[in-house]
Amino acid sequence: MEEKIVYDFDTAISRSGTNAEKYEARQRFFGKADVEPFWVADMDLPSPEFLVDALHARIVHPMFGYTEQYADVFESIQWWMQHEHQAAVEFKQLSLSPSVVTSISMAIQAFSEPGDTVALLSPVYGPFYSCTKLNHRKVADCPLRVEQGKFEIDFLTLEQQLARPEVKLLLFCNPQNPGGRAWSFQCLELVVEMCAKHGVILFSDEIHCDIVFPPHRHHSVLNIPAADDMAVVAHSIGKTFNTSGLQSSFTIIKNAELRSRFRTAQERSHAGDINLLGKVALEHALSPKGAEYKKQLVAYIHENTRQVCERLQQIDGLLVMPPEATFLVWSDFRAFGDWQTVFRKLIQEANVALSGGTFFGPAGEGWFRINCAHPRALLLPAVERIAASF
Ligand SMILES: Cc1ncc(COP(=O)(O)O)c(C=O)c1O
């Protein structure tokens, strides 16, 4: 029997010399090159060794030319979706994509026209807005409500927005970034029902779906039969395996006509393929070894988020949203002044760089997001400094 690997997430590994955006862009975004970075949503935790070995094995060969979309990649995706998310997918339903954001843009182009409107539930990951606007579509915002410290969908507003004839697409974040909500099956069913009723295509961004903390679980739109004819589901190994720089993502579209429209948009932008190391990474990450890594990673991150929330909740006036999923903790600092004042204090006094809430739309103003996918020995002192500053 193979020996079980115990992954080490505690040892800090320097990213110096790797041009990591989280580090290199600190001067540009925070005006301080040595502020400790807990912003960009990638992990300061290592990819598993078996995956690094697979990439090594490939780069030994000195030719990096055009590479087929070979069957092992699709088999791995199919295995992962079935094993980890109980979703049966067929090869023909899969399209590779360099990134989830690329897929968002392709979906906007495939399922709406310039001047149409795209709905979203804010606050939400910034490119939901920017892709919509850059594609000359309007945004129909359905702000989430904070109830008992959690985001809830305002279904009345959502239905009003979806009922507008110019709304063609709903960009849905499942699990939710920045709030870490793992939407319930009933909630998803309602979203699907409303989209179907009003002829709106549902784009479910499920990039964070592997990192969900028990007793919560991820419910994929793929498991709602009523969504089969109106949904695009996007996933990636970027978050789970810390491979965002390899750009390896995919979509699952069950309906043949929607798939064809999506692929036409991809072809128009020559965006229907991924680089060869991305293929190698997909093939090897989405495997039984990857599932074991993921299990240990989720346990580590869960404990990180638990300890971070416990400490932040002791700060008077701070509202903290304990996540059910994702490695992100979203907190409301509005009691401490305008967001610029808080931003400066976080950098200058606490020496931490967090993601500012306005990146997630107007509803995020005054909130900040802390990335907890860091070795605990670096993360917890940073949280102590935040507590000391507020
Ligand atoms: C909800 C969500 N979607 C997409 C992305 C980016 O994914 P990609 O790098 O595959 O475009 C992120 C990254 O933080 C995210 O949080």
Side-chain angles (χ1 to χ4, degrees):
M1 212 169 80
E2 247 185 87
E3 205 184 324
K4 186 178 156 186
I5 294 169
V6 178
Y7 289 101
D8 171 14
F9 299 118
D10 278 323
T11 303
I13 300 172
S14 167
R15 295 179 73 173
S16 161
T18 66
N19 295 310
E21 185 185 358
K22 192 192 253 173
Y23 287 80
E24 299 308 321
R26 285 178 292 180
Q27 181 65 42
R28 196 157 21 109
F29 283 97
F30 300 94
K32 193 168 181 234
D34 62 352
V35 66
E36 283 192 28
F38 299 93
W39 59 307
V40 174
D42 65 18
M43 305 195 290
D44 273 22
L45 307 175
S47 283
E49 207 176 320
F50 74 84
L51 181 53
V52 178
D53 288 347
L55 292 165
H56 268 297
R58 176 59 188 86
I59 61 169
V60 164
H61 192 285
M63 293 175 197
F64 306 102
Y66 297 114
T67 304
E68 279 274 282
Q69 297 198 357
Y70 54 97
D72 289 349
V73 174
F74 294 95
E75 271 164 25
S76 295
I77 295 173
Q78 191 179 49
W79 182 85
W80 188 265
M81 296 311 290
Q82 182 65 56
H83 190 265
E84 293 298 306
H85 301 295
Q86 295 71 52
V89 303
E90 297 173 33
F91 280 17
K92 68 173 184 204
Q93 298 165 345
L94 291 166
S95 309
L96 300 185
S97 171
S99 73
V100 170
V101 174
T102 310
S103 298
I104 291 174
S105 202
M106 294 300 105
I108 291 170
Q109 291 172 26
F111 306 122
S112 67
E113 298 294 328
D116 280 343
T117 299
V118 173
L120 50 78
L121 299 115
S122 72
V124 75
Y125 179 59
F128 278 41
Y129 283 92
S130 53
C131 283
T132 301
K133 292 180 180 164
L134 289 166
N135 278 297
H136 307 290
R137 274 66 163 173
K138 299 186 187 92
V139 171
D141 199 344
C142 314
L144 293 162
R145 284 203 310 252
V146 182
E147 277 175 24
Q148 293 170 336
K150 283 183 183 180
F151 278 137
E152 297 290 350
I153 297 173
D154 179 347
F155 280 103
L156 214 66
T157 308
L158 180 62
E159 173 134 47
Q160 278 165 1
Q161 296 286 20
L162 296 181
R164 291 166 55 199
E166 64 273 27
V167 173
K168 298 294 186 332
L169 181 68
L170 170 65
L171 297 177
F172 188 68
C173 196
N174 172 38
Q176 209 271 347
N177 171 16
R181 195 81 216 268
W183 301 113
S184 71
F185 193 75
Q186 289 74 12
C187 184
L188 283 188
E189 273 187 324
L190 253 178
V191 171
V192 168
E193 190 187 308
M194 281 185 185
C195 285
K197 181 172 161 195
H198 297 291
V200 172
I201 307 292
L202 173 62
F203 184 101
S204 184
D205 174 345
E206 305 194 359
I207 194 169
H208 292 282
C209 72
D210 292 319
I211 301 176
V212 180
F213 313 129
H216 304 283
R217 53 162 294 200
H218 173 62
H219 295 285
S220 175
V221 163
L222 293 168
N223 289 329
I224 301 188
D228 284 1
D229 281 330
M230 36 72 77
V232 176
V233 171
H235 192 17
S236 160
I237 53 170
K239 301 293 166 202
T240 320
F241 293 93
N242 206 3
T243 56
S244 290
L246 292 177
Q247 301 212 299
S248 29
S249 159
F250 55 92
T251 60
I252 301 149
I253 307 175
K254 293 190 179 174
N255 178 281
E257 193 222 320
L258 294 190
R259 200 161 61 232
S260 157
R261 285 165 67 186
F262 182 82
R263 286 191 182 153
T264 302
Q266 283 191 312
E267 278 163 24
R268 206 178 286 141
S269 298
H270 204 70
D273 200 8
I274 64 175
N275 77 78
L276 98 87
L277 292 182
K279 286 172 188 155
V280 174
L282 273 173
E283 176 195 346
H284 290 272
L286 303 180
S287 63
K289 283 183 182 167
E292 176 57 32
Y293 167 84
K294 187 206 90 164
K295 198 166 112 195
Q296 294 184 33
L297 176 76
V298 169
Y300 190 82
I301 291 173
H302 190 189
E303 182 57 18
N304 278 11
T305 58
R306 195 192 65 71
Q307 291 195 30
V308 166
C309 289
E310 192 175 83
R311 185 66 187 96
L312 290 179
Q313 278 166 334
Q314 290 164 5
I315 303 175
D316 249 1
L318 191 73
L319 184 114
V320 185
M321 217 173 249
E324 301 167 346
T326 80
F327 47 70
L328 311 163
V329 169
W330 181 239
S331 301
D332 179 1
F333 281 79
R334 284 175 297 179
F336 302 96
D338 59 69
W339 75 264
Q340 291 90 341
T341 306
V342 174
F343 185 70
R344 272 194 301 274
K345 205 165 157 147
L346 284 166
I347 299 165
Q348 285 160 11
E349 288 183 28
N351 195 35
V352 294
L354 307 189
S355 297
T358 48
F359 174 68
F360 305 89
E365 185 170 330
W367 294 67
F368 286 83
R369 192 192 71 179
I370 180 163
N371 177 343
C372 296
H374 287 247
R376 219 164 275 157
L378 292 172
L379 176 68
L380 299 180
V383 172
E384 279 307 326
R385 294 198 302 274
I386 296 173
S389 306
F390 291 90

